[in-house]
């Protein structure tokens, strides 16, 4: 199983009462396929950057979960068909490894240095 992050933009038509049902439906879908829900963060109603299906506001929900890669395709297919989900994005979360663990030397920090630039001679003489 791999770790993933799902961001959903849910239609404002579901309302404050229907949003938990939508989130629960997606969570159950993940759990039925052997996945594990890590966190669910509901951001609430936010203004959209551009209209989607003539909506200017929607609910944002961010979910972290673990699931097999084959089941993620089924999840995305289900979200594509869900009428109450306007947009979604599933991103695989990478494990952060320190360079010492991988046997590589630590990265060297490069600091910019000032460079003096000589003023150029006037190319055109004034009349």
């Amino acid at each position: 199983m791999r770790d993933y992050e799902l961001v959903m933009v849910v239609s404002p038509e579901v309302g404050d009462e229907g949003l938990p049902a939508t989130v629960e439906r997606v969570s159950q879908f993940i759990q039925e396929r052997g996945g594990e829900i890590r966190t669910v963060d509901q951001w609430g109603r936010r203004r959209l950057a551009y209209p989607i299906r003539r909506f200017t506001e929607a609910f944002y929900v961010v979910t972290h979960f673990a699931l097999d890669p084959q089941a993620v395709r089924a999840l995305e297919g289900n979200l594509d068909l869900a009428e109450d989900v306007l947009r979604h994005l599933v991103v695989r979360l990478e494990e952060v490894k320190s360079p010492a663990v991988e046997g590589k030397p630590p990265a060297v920090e490069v600091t910019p240095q000032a460079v003096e630039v000589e003023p150029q001679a006037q190319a055109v003489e004034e009349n």
Side-chain angles (χ1 to χ4, degrees):
M1 289 200 320
R2 293 184 176 159
D3 289 332
Y4 293 93
E5 178 180 73
L6 166 66
V7 179
M8 291 187 301
V9 180
V10 181
S11 171
E13 288 183 337
V14 299
D16 292 328
E17 306 82 28
L19 181 63
T22 300
V23 172
E24 183 61 29
R25 187 182 78 233
V26 173
S27 297
Q28 282 181 350
F29 187 90
I30 293 169
Q31 291 171 345
E32 287 172 357
R33 280 146 185 83
E36 178 184 338
I37 303 294
R38 307 252 196 246
T39 61
V40 176
D41 188 14
Q42 297 182 19
W43 291 1
R45 187 183 287 245
R46 301 282 176 108
R47 185 169 189 80
L48 298 172
Y50 55 89
I52 301 174
R53 297 186 201 163
R54 298 188 181 174
F55 295 116
T56 57
E57 291 184 339
F59 294 101
Y60 281 76
V61 179
V62 178
T63 304
H64 291 147
F65 62 96
L67 191 61
D68 287 325
Q70 295 83 9
V72 172
R73 288 195 176 136
L75 172 64
E76 288 181 320
N78 188 350
L79 291 172
D80 285 338
L81 296 175
E83 292 185 14
D84 53 348
V85 177
L86 301 177
R87 294 280 192 276
H88 70 276
L89 178 66
V90 178
V91 179
R92 186 177 116 190
L93 298 177
E94 296 289 331
E95 293 180 18
V96 178
K97 296 181 181 178
S98 67
V101 172
E102 295 178 0
K104 297 179 183 176
V108 177
E109 185 176 321
V110 178
T111 56
Q113 296 179 356
V115 177
E116 285 189 37
V117 178
E118 295 181 21
Q120 295 182 358
Q122 247 181 334
V124 179
E125 292 183 17
E126 294 180 22
N127 291 333

